[in-house]
Amino acid sequence: MRMRKKKHLDERLEKCNNVITLFSDDSNFVTAIEKKEYLDMQELFGNDNPVVLEIGCGKGRFACELAKRNPNINVLALEKCSNVLVIACETAMKEGITNLKFLDTGAEYLEKYIKPQSIERIYLNFSCPYPKKRYANHRLTNERFLKSYKAVLKPGAEIHQKTDNMHFFEYSIEQLTGFGFSLKNISLDLHNSDFEGNIETEYEQKFASLGMPIYRLEAYIK
């Protein structure tokens, strides 16, 4: 079921124009990405600090906390659902987080807006697993997305993934290794591991409270 548009959504987004970049995407992303409109990260953030990217930031809990804990990096958070993105933007503004910006677009358009080899790290937190096989190409660890990640990541940069879905996690491992990524720090039960510095998302809190294991990995290309 499609989420109903929030009341006064456009007005609320407009008030967040200093933290959000709004895109009106060509629905055919294949042709859209041919015309590059690269973001100037130094202009966007007002500095030349390293930039990390969260794809699918939801209401922004992870992105906001990541930015607050790491003032010497810039966090770019991407979300295509404006209904939840507006909450993330309003939170960032309320808390005065200056090293966090948002993009209102989908991962299909990464190569249109982000320069090659400009991102230090990508975070994929609780992406939709699209369990039906016919929708596999929508999964954010499908090879069509991995191609874009590899293009925008700096050499040696990493992808950090967390999910509650075991089958999606197994699929991600197969896709990442098949596309030339190496894996490290794999956890089959993150909250009962010795991993330090974890930042919980909204979904993560919900799933963990139900006793569900959280799966995590880090992927990189040598």
Side-chain angles (χ1 to χ4, degrees):
M1 182 181 295
R2 184 181 297 272
M3 184 183 296
R4 181 179 298 176
K5 184 177 179 180
K6 288 185 180 295
K7 191 175 182 180
H8 305 305
L9 176 61
D10 292 337
E11 293 90 336
R12 289 170 65 185
L13 288 170
E14 181 63 28
K15 290 179 180 178
C16 298
N17 61 7
N18 64 326
V19 297
I20 185 173
T21 299
L22 300 172
F23 292 118
S24 178
D25 289 319
D26 182 339
S27 59
N28 187 340
F29 73 90
V30 176
T31 57
I33 63 174
E34 293 176 358
K35 184 180 179 182
K36 308 302 184 186
E37 298 179 33
Y38 291 142
L39 291 167
D40 184 328
M41 297 298 182
Q42 187 165 3
E43 180 180 345
L44 184 65
F45 288 99
N47 60 62
D48 58 359
N49 290 340
V51 180
V52 303
L53 174 68
E54 183 186 10
I55 299 177
C57 70
K59 296 178 181 179
R61 178 187 177 93
F62 178 89
C64 287
E65 185 61 26
L66 179 66
K68 288 189 291 186
R69 290 189 189 184
N70 300 275
N72 294 324
I73 68 170
N74 295 321
V75 180
L76 192 61
L78 183 153
E79 175 57 58
K80 64 181 179 181
C81 179
S82 299
N83 267 350
V84 294
L85 178 58
V86 69
I87 297 173
C89 294
E90 290 172 343
T91 300
M93 291 183 63
K94 180 180 178 180
E95 298 186 9
I97 305 172
T98 59
N99 60 326
L100 171 59
K101 303 294 181 181
F102 298 92
L103 300 186
D104 183 9
T105 192
E108 295 88 348
Y109 299 89
L110 281 180
E111 291 183 82
K112 179 178 179 68
Y113 299 116
I114 298 180
K115 293 178 182 178
Q117 299 188 359
S118 62
I119 300 298
E120 296 281 349
R121 181 174 296 171
I122 289 176
Y123 293 94
L124 302 174
N125 293 315
F126 299 89
S127 312
C128 180
Y130 290 101
K132 294 183 179 180
K133 284 188 176 181
R134 66 177 180 270
Y135 296 128
N137 67 340
H138 291 283
R139 298 169 188 164
L140 288 183
T141 50
N142 182 270
E143 65 177 19
R144 75 184 183 105
F145 291 109
L146 296 183
K147 173 182 173 293
S148 293
Y149 303 160
K150 186 181 286 189
V152 302
L153 284 170
K154 290 185 175 182
E158 299 176 351
I159 297 172
H160 290 193
Q161 181 193 23
K162 289 194 291 185
T163 180
D164 65 298
N165 189 296
M166 179 186 68
H167 298 296
F168 179 43
F169 192 65
E170 293 173 345
Y171 171 87
S172 299
I173 289 174
E174 292 175 359
Q175 291 289 299
L176 285 160
T177 54
F179 206 74
F181 284 88
S182 298
L183 305 180
K184 64 179 182 178
N185 297 328
I186 298 174
S187 176
L188 303 181
D189 191 356
L190 177 62
H191 288 200
N192 288 311
S193 71
D194 58 0
F195 181 81
E196 297 181 356
N198 182 49
I199 299 174
E200 293 187 354
T201 73
E202 295 91 350
Y203 281 118
E204 185 172 353
Q205 283 193 326
K206 175 184 176 180
F207 296 138
S209 70
L210 296 173
M212 299 172 63
I214 304 301
Y215 304 91
R216 183 184 183 277
L217 62 74
E218 298 173 9
Y220 63 97
I221 294 181
K222 295 180 179 179

